[in-house]
Amino acid sequence: FGIGQGVPAKRDLTRFVRWPKYVLLQRQKRVLQQRLKVPPSVNQFSRTLDKNTATALFKLLDKHAPETKPEKRQRLLNAAKAKVDGDKAVVAAKPNVVKYGIKHITALIEQKKATLVLIAHDVDPLEIVLWLPSLCRKMGVPYAIVKGKARLG
């Protein structure tokens, strides 16, 4: 393959590419999980809800999304106007909404106020939520593990 002769065949150069750090970490994690015995408490995060159930669940969550600042402001203004007018009968209860945050959710589970707990499968470090399923089982609160912390918001 000197000058003016045939062109060399294309080679697969993926081994020589400088991959981004997150790609290397993903691949190393995958290899370790295949080669090592994974404890059951860690392995349960690989079994997530199927796509149809997750879609239905996220549609339900959209209906119970926390109220936005303008909505809350309007609700409080209406309550204040009603109070000024002297209407005590109209006492609007706070809307039933989704709660979030590990400390808040833990408190709700311990008080048995939580009705369903959703846990993301890709939380990093995993130790943040590793104990949450066992707490839910102990307190009798149903829980589900869903794909993607980004989908939970």
Side-chain angles (χ1 to χ4, degrees):
F1 298 116
I3 297 173
Q5 296 174 3
V7 179
K10 291 280 185 188
R11 288 193 189 135
D12 184 18
L13 299 176
T14 54
R15 283 185 43 220
F16 306 108
V17 172
R18 182 172 170 83
W19 293 101
K21 188 80 169 174
Y22 77 95
V23 173
L24 295 175
L25 286 173
Q26 284 173 350
R27 291 179 179 170
Q28 289 170 350
K29 182 179 176 184
R30 186 96 175 144
V31 168
L32 280 175
Q33 286 182 335
Q34 287 173 347
R35 293 184 183 170
L36 298 176
K37 289 185 178 178
V38 181
S41 58
V42 175
N43 191 44
Q44 68 185 345
F45 287 93
S46 64
R47 292 179 282 120
T48 58
L49 281 181
D50 61 287
K51 192 170 185 175
N52 293 334
T53 310
T55 305
L57 184 67
F58 285 118
K59 282 181 183 174
L60 175 72
L61 289 181
D62 285 340
K63 293 177 185 172
H64 296 285
E67 61 184 347
T68 61
K69 290 200 181 226
E71 289 172 348
K72 182 176 182 179
R73 186 168 187 252
Q74 189 61 41
R75 179 175 59 90
L76 294 175
L77 277 172
N78 292 343
K81 284 180 184 175
K83 190 174 183 180
V84 168
D85 294 342
D87 297 335
K88 288 192 174 184
V90 180
V91 178
K94 283 180 96 175
N96 202 6
V97 297
V98 174
K99 308 290 185 185
Y100 54 91
I102 190 71
K103 287 184 178 179
H104 188 61
I105 296 302
T106 305
L108 290 173
I109 294 170
E110 288 172 346
Q111 296 165 8
K112 295 191 177 181
K113 289 184 179 178
T115 52
L116 174 66
V117 176
L118 297 179
I119 308 167
H121 88 293
D122 59 348
V123 175
D124 191 44
L126 193 59
E127 288 81 16
I128 294 173
V129 294
L130 192 62
W131 48 272
L132 208 51
S134 58
L135 178 67
C136 288
R137 279 195 297 274
K138 180 183 174 192
M139 301 306 279
V141 176
Y143 70 95
I145 298 170
V146 294
K147 275 195 186 293
K149 61 186 174 195
R151 286 182 79 187
L152 281 178

